[in-house]
Amino acid sequence: MDPEAIKISRIANKTTSKKKEGYYSVFWIQNGVKSLEIDKVLYRNVSNSIFFLHPSIEWKLLKENSDSSSGYILYLSQEILDNPLLSKLHINEIRLFASDAIPKINLSPGIEKRIQSILEMLDELIGSELNHKDDAIISLLNTIFVYCDGQCNIKSVISENNSKKALVYKFKKLVDKRFSVNHKVCDYAEMLNVSDNYLNECIKETIGVNAKAIITEKRIMSSRHQLKFTDKTIKEICYELGFSSPDYFSYFFKKHTGITPSMLREN
């Protein structure tokens, strides 16, 4: 891989503008960014979002202050996007970078922490002389794109101001906080003061799946994380995540993953 094929920088200065000609840009924007200017058009409320910009686009980021970092900018060459591991991804195949609209992804609550960790590892790797670092970089980029393509994220374009998408985002934040207690769609609909049918309609239109699928995906992701990265017993995990019994937890997990909790731990 050409050493100049990928670059990364923190969003730290009060003003950051396009300065890497020929590179596709991927922004991960946290809090603290006042606005993003794209081709002379100013957009606000861009926090907790990922943007994909074609090399032809002129852009400028404006921060509240320069006291802390507010995310990262990845600069990717065509060589990177043509890598066989990345070129087959749906998120790349639909040519996000070549769209007339500006693709925007609002990350599911919790996913942003994973994205931050991956970008921090990329930042460290790109400036290192480690053996096999090119393979590691491509693998981490692949992981970022896979997370961005996840069903739990809200995909839109930057110009949209859609009340249905706002409702879906509120729903997903509630799921992130309440999934171990509330497992029914009607519970969330009641908390959001809408009907079950309307909530499902909004989610289906925005993400392409129903509300139950989002709740289930969150329960499975949390189950997998606990099984893989904690020493808690399967029984402890079962009750902590709100399952009625270890037997039902095992049935639920196998139904949605193809393996039992015990089998996952043995791998």
Side-chain angles (χ1 to χ4, degrees):
M1 183 194 301
D2 184 334
E4 298 295 307
I6 178 172
K7 301 174 185 290
I8 189 170
S9 65
R10 292 177 181 268
I11 301 173
N13 299 324
K14 278 196 171 184
T15 303
T16 306
S17 58
K18 180 179 177 181
K19 55 188 176 184
K20 304 232 180 332
E21 295 297 327
Y23 284 85
Y24 297 83
S25 304
V26 180
F27 296 76
W28 175 59
I29 301 177
Q30 295 176 285
N31 293 326
V33 171
K34 186 188 302 182
S35 60
L36 172 60
E37 182 181 299
I38 298 175
D39 286 340
K40 309 299 182 185
V41 179
L42 200 64
Y43 299 95
R44 301 185 185 277
N45 301 317
V46 294
S47 296
N48 187 39
S49 301
I50 291 184
F51 298 90
F52 300 82
L53 302 185
H54 189 272
S56 63
I57 292 174
E58 294 294 331
W59 56 264
K60 183 187 294 183
L61 271 171
L62 302 173
K63 277 182 90 254
E64 301 285 353
N65 56 63
S66 57
D67 295 338
S68 60
S69 173
S70 293
Y72 279 96
I73 305 171
L74 273 173
Y75 299 95
L76 308 176
S77 68
Q78 188 65 55
E79 175 192 347
I80 291 289
L81 294 181
D82 288 342
N83 183 281
L85 187 62
L86 302 181
S87 63
K88 295 177 182 178
L89 288 171
H90 176 66
I91 202 165
N92 201 357
E93 286 177 349
I94 61 175
R95 304 187 185 282
L96 280 179
F97 295 100
S99 172
D100 290 334
I102 305 299
K104 172 187 177 185
I105 293 177
N106 288 109
L107 295 171
S108 174
I111 296 297
E112 66 269 18
K113 295 177 183 177
R114 294 177 176 85
I115 294 293
Q116 178 174 348
S117 297
I118 295 168
L119 287 166
E120 287 172 350
M121 285 189 282
L122 272 173
D123 197 359
E124 183 179 353
L125 270 171
I126 289 170
S128 77
E129 297 297 329
L130 294 172
N131 293 331
H132 310 295
K133 82 169 187 178
D134 289 357
D135 292 337
I137 287 170
I138 293 297
S139 180
L140 288 172
L141 279 175
N142 181 63
T143 304
I144 289 174
F145 281 0
V146 167
Y147 272 130
C148 287
D149 205 29
Q151 288 182 337
C152 274
N153 299 316
I154 299 176
K155 303 172 183 67
S156 60
V157 297
I158 192 172
S159 60
E160 289 182 331
N161 182 16
N162 191 308
S163 60
K164 289 185 176 181
K165 288 185 174 67
L167 176 66
V168 174
Y169 188 63
K170 288 178 183 177
F171 164 73
K172 288 164 57 54
K173 290 192 76 172
L174 277 174
V175 171
D176 191 57
K177 293 178 181 178
R178 306 283 303 172
F179 74 93
S180 62
V181 177
N182 299 104
H183 311 140
K184 297 178 180 179
V185 175
C186 61
D187 295 337
Y188 294 96
E190 183 178 348
M191 284 185 269
L192 292 165
N193 297 311
V194 296
S195 69
D196 299 12
N197 288 340
Y198 182 70
L199 180 58
N200 265 314
E201 175 191 319
C202 293
I203 294 169
K204 185 72 175 178
E205 183 178 312
T206 304
I207 305 179
V209 298
N210 60 29
K212 190 66 176 177
I214 300 300
I215 299 167
T216 297
E217 183 174 45
K218 180 62 183 178
R219 298 180 83 191
I220 289 296
M221 286 179 65
S222 186
S223 298
R224 289 180 64 89
H225 184 270
Q226 297 250 33
L227 289 164
K228 277 282 190 182
F229 302 110
T230 75
D231 295 326
K232 297 174 185 176
T233 66
I234 292 175
K235 186 176 181 180
E236 286 174 327
I237 294 170
C238 156
Y239 290 122
E240 186 174 307
L241 296 181
F243 291 92
S244 57
S245 70
D247 286 344
Y248 178 67
F249 176 46
S250 182
Y251 163 80
F252 179 91
F253 193 84
K254 186 174 183 180
K255 177 182 177 182
H256 293 286
T257 67
I259 59 174
T260 64
S262 300
M263 292 167 67
L264 177 67
R265 281 206 150 160
E266 290 169 0
N267 290 339

